[in-house]
Amino acid sequence: GGMDCFRKCLRSEGVLSFYRGMGGLAAFSIPRFSLMFYSNSWGRILGGKLDPSSSTSSPTRRQGDFTTRQILCGGIFSQFIVCPLIVNPLERAKCLLQTSQQFKGQIDC
């Protein structure tokens, strides 16, 4: 079971085996999430330019409130445009670093 696997890994490779690939996770997660949030913000801005009802002069709309179209454009821009082009290759490299024995580090991968 799980405990047997844990013991075998601990015995054969040591405690550091449980943290293999964490450098790749730290190196790739911070830029990935910052890029995703940044692209989502740009998508909302672009969605606001496309949405004529996003005017802040409305008495019911406050500054900083987003319309449904703006939120949708932010998600589409970050998930369908930026994610496949930039984020997925970074995620692939991170997974290779965590699982493969043939790579010596981030640069080698």
Side-chain angles (χ1 to χ4, degrees):
M3 286 304 292
D4 183 49
C5 181
F6 177 81
R7 283 188 205 109
K8 285 180 182 178
C9 284
L10 185 62
R11 234 181 277 131
S12 65
E13 298 179 35
V15 175
L16 294 178
S17 68
F18 298 114
Y19 298 101
R20 181 180 304 132
M22 293 303 285
L25 177 66
F28 292 124
S29 290
I30 294 169
R32 181 182 72 168
F33 284 117
S34 62
L35 183 63
M36 295 300 293
F37 282 115
Y38 186 70
S39 62
N40 188 296
S41 298
W42 270 102
R44 287 181 182 192
I45 290 169
L46 294 173
K49 294 183 187 287
L50 299 174
D51 190 4
S53 68
S54 67
S55 170
T56 57
S57 62
S58 171
T60 59
R61 185 167 308 285
R62 297 180 314 209
Q63 181 72 22
D65 285 351
F66 296 108
T67 64
T68 304
R69 182 176 290 175
Q70 286 175 305
I71 294 170
L72 185 63
C73 285
I76 288 172
F77 187 73
S78 66
Q79 295 299 318
F80 291 125
I81 296 173
V82 175
C83 190
L85 297 176
I86 299 171
V87 175
N88 285 350
L90 292 175
E91 188 71 22
R92 172 80 174 136
K94 179 188 70 106
C95 290
L96 284 174
L97 283 171
Q98 288 178 325
T99 59
S100 180
Q101 297 286 330
Q102 67 185 7
F103 299 111
K104 307 271 187 285
Q106 287 95 352
I107 305 299
D108 186 37
C109 181

